[in-house]
Amino acid sequence: MENVLLKLQQCKTLKKQADGLSAWQLDKKVKLADEAIDLSISAMEEMAQTVIQLQAKLGEQV
């Protein structure tokens, strides 16, 4: 889960960087947003895998 938290923190950093750019730097804003989206999708996938693993462990205990 530490990796998930790291990725989410990186997403926040990318958003702050994008927010700091002007409208004239739209290409850079889009690039940063794309990176943040990729990271957030990866974090969600990791969280889903963790939940699936936990569900499996709980099922074994019942």
Side-chain angles (χ1 to χ4, degrees):
M1 287 302 280
E2 287 180 30
N3 196 33
V4 169
L5 293 174
L6 178 64
K7 287 180 180 181
L8 292 174
Q9 186 59 43
Q10 289 173 330
C11 288
K12 290 179 186 179
T13 301
L14 289 170
K15 181 174 180 350
K16 285 180 184 178
Q17 289 174 355
D19 288 347
L21 296 174
S22 71
W24 298 106
Q25 297 171 301
L26 192 56
D27 58 329
K28 290 181 184 178
K29 280 184 169 241
V30 170
K31 182 178 179 281
L32 290 172
D34 192 44
E35 287 178 41
I37 290 168
D38 289 344
L39 277 171
S40 64
I41 290 171
S42 177
M44 286 186 281
E45 288 172 343
E46 284 186 47
M47 285 188 286
Q49 287 300 320
T50 300
V51 169
I52 290 168
Q53 290 170 359
L54 290 171
Q55 286 177 326
K57 287 181 182 178
L58 287 173
E60 292 171 1
Q61 293 175 3
V62 174

